[in-house]
Amino acid sequence: MYDVIIIGGGPAGLTAGLYTSRARLKSLLIEKGFLGGQVMTTEWIENYPGFEDGISGVELSQKMEKQATKFGLEIMQGSVTGVSLDGKTKKVKLEDGSELEAKSIILATGSNPKPLSIKGEEEFRGRGVSYCATCDAAFFKESDLAVIGGGDSAVEEGIFLTKFAKTVYIVHRRDQLRATKVVQERAFENPKIKMVWDSVPEEIVGDATGVTSLKIKNVKTGEVSELKVQGVFIYIGYNPNIDPVKDIITINESNYAVANENMATSGNGIFAAGDVRAKPLKQIATAVGDGATAAISAEKYIEENF
Ligand code: NAP
């Protein structure tokens, strides 16, 4: 039996693994995709402390992996389909039908930005298509940009993008924003923001240099037009990867894991860290903090319960 099974190998999971293995807990991290998670898909990271000139997402992920495994963390490729409780023992089911046992679980499965699923989105991902203004805004100085969505994320991030961009078009499928009123007011007052109402993106167009325009369709008139933009920021919501535990812990109305300041969920001995946890700021810097806290909480839980 493992002391700790960590599900998910992004910054939260790798940090949790670093801490649990240094605590000499028998630790296994299970990752279904590639270690690093969303960080791996970020070309350049300038807001993670310690790398004053920035670092590529790939390199940061590799460094985190090396540091975590140095102290004995086991890493396994696999997809977790469910977690169940057998008394105090947690059973982790894998896609291949096998089952593993642990005294505690750290859920660090992250979340994925909802894709628009339109032509050009995948092709220009990382070359003009972004899901993270905080990460990528600085690459778009004096550019014209489109932000898709009308919720708090789209409008707040649209406002943030005006610090760099020349013009930010907020493309929304209705004629009223979903975002909080005060956030809306700030957007309407911002001279760099242009609202594009009643419009849905149809295609992201580009060439070898990256994105060059966004084709949009007015849902009321049916008219198709083209916005000349160098970047498209997509904020139409997130999907937390909660499925394996959704029946055994409390989740909020948006399907995020609810956890307290010690990262403890409502499931005894089940901790949540990183983007899968309900919290206001989802960044690498906050994910690693969650991972460290979850690891120490798991250690304490094992000491007290086994
Ligand atoms: P959200 O509130 O779900 O908003 C998503 C937006 O994208 C909506 O305006 C929606 O349009 C639009 N949309 C959805 N699917 C679309 C599609 N296929 N094509 C085009 N547009 C589409 O997501 P969010 O803004 O990421 O926020 C998630 C939660 O976090 C919310 O509860 C939000 O309040 C909260 N949040 C809070 C803060 C804050 O308090 N500072 C900051 C960020 C997020 P419709 O409006 O027509 O549905």
Side-chain angles (χ1 to χ4, degrees), residues 120-140:
E121 183 177 15
E122 265 314 306
E123 188 182 347
F124 294 105
R125 194 182 174 126
R127 296 197 298 131
V129 172
S130 172
Y131 303 83
C132 179
T134 314
C135 319
D136 297 331
F139 299 111
F140 294 94

Side-chain angles (χ1 to χ4, degrees), residues 116 148-154 156 172-174 178 235-238:
L116 272 170
I148 317 300
D152 279 319
S153 299
E156 284 188 348
H172 185 36
R173 61 185 177 183
R174 296 186 287 134
R178 178 180 291 279
Y235 282 106
I236 61 166
Y238 288 85

Side-chain angles (χ1 to χ4, degrees), residues 14-29:
L14 287 169
T15 306
L18 170 66
Y19 276 69
T20 58
S21 51
R22 278 174 55 85
R24 296 291 178 239
L25 296 174
K26 186 171 160 55
S27 311
L28 173 70
L29 184 151

